[in-house]
Amino acid sequence: MSLMRRRELLARSASALLAATLAPAGRLAHADTPGHRSLELDKLTVQRSDEGTLLSYSVRFDLPRDLEQALIKGVAVVFVAEAEVFRSRWYWTDERLGSATRRWRLAYQPLTRRWRLSLEGLSRHYNTLPDALGALRSTDSWRIADPIPASSDQDHYVDFRFRLDTDELPRPLQIGLGGLSTWNMDVRRRVAVGPAR
């Protein structure tokens, strides 16, 4: 059997496994629900303070129906927020002053019928999926870097990203994601660092 034929069979097997995993009992899941809202950034601000460089954000999204079905069937998903602080330099590439990452792992626990959301080694349980998602959709005063001196007259900015980490999904699902564009949940934005509080 040729290598190309083996790859084709592997891709078909992965697609079949993906469909079986995501399908509700008795029928295949549709790719998306009408009115599905992609990931949007509602708020993003960065402030200087004595405690450090503080970022606040709020994102808005609905989970695609097939992703919600995968969660109910036991597939855990990971959402990631990333921020990098830079100082602008006209004579060279901008200097990175610091970075921070937060990773939320969301999983459904069938025995208790509750949702578990883990962040930095700590877990909380929620009775409903909207409650669990609400806890990761926004963050206030997240310390992402050391304080920026108030006397600094150079421009500073933050590159922010919030996404669903598809690399954390089981390998068969990663292979079959080519046709699931609704699982591409990713938003990026650059924002200037505001004045000291």
Side-chain angles (χ1 to χ4, degrees):
M1 184 182 295
S2 69
L3 179 61
M4 194 166 205
R5 178 74 177 143
R6 285 182 185 173
R7 286 183 179 167
E8 182 181 338
L9 287 174
L10 179 61
R12 286 185 184 177
S13 299
S15 296
L17 179 60
L18 177 65
T21 302
L22 301 180
R27 64 184 177 85
L28 293 179
H30 293 287
D32 200 3
T33 54
H36 166 70
R37 187 170 57 203
S38 62
L39 183 59
E40 298 172 5
L41 189 59
D42 279 343
K43 178 184 84 169
L44 179 63
T45 60
V46 182
Q47 296 290 329
R48 306 180 195 201
S49 79
D50 293 338
E51 293 82 38
T53 305
L54 306 178
L55 181 143
S56 299
Y57 72 86
S58 176
V59 294
R60 179 166 34 107
F61 63 90
D62 295 320
L63 290 183
R65 185 169 60 186
D66 47 9
L67 178 54
E68 189 172 334
Q69 288 292 325
L71 275 163
I72 291 171
K73 290 178 182 291
V75 175
V77 298
V78 174
F79 288 91
V80 182
E82 302 166 318
E84 291 184 297
V85 183
F86 292 90
R87 181 178 66 186
S88 298
R89 296 191 294 194
W90 64 269
Y91 57 89
W92 197 248
T93 57
D94 295 348
E95 179 185 9
R96 191 172 85 156
L97 301 179
S99 64
T101 302
R102 281 190 170 174
R103 301 176 68 80
W104 293 267
R105 186 178 187 273
L106 177 63
Y108 180 66
Q109 300 180 308
L111 291 178
T112 60
R113 295 184 179 179
R114 301 182 78 196
W115 296 87
R116 179 179 179 179
L117 186 64
S118 303
L119 171 66
E120 298 171 354
L122 300 175
S123 297
R124 288 193 62 186
H125 293 84
Y126 298 88
N127 292 324
T128 66
L129 178 58
D131 288 344
L133 291 175
L136 64 85
R137 281 189 177 121
S138 64
T139 294
D140 287 318
S141 301
W142 172 26
R143 187 181 186 278
I144 58 173
D146 292 334
I148 297 172
S151 59
S152 174
D153 59 356
Q154 290 178 293
D155 292 330
H156 295 79
Y157 64 89
V158 172
D159 281 342
F160 175 77
R161 182 182 185 191
F162 187 93
R163 63 189 171 91
L164 170 68
D165 190 351
T166 55
D167 291 338
E168 293 286 340
L169 294 170
R171 186 66 180 160
L173 293 183
Q174 292 182 38
I175 294 172
L177 277 180
L180 294 175
S181 60
T182 56
W183 287 38
N184 266 336
M185 303 176 73
D186 193 337
V187 63
R188 304 174 194 226
R189 188 76 52 83
R190 176 171 291 183
V191 62
V193 176
R197 289 182 177 179

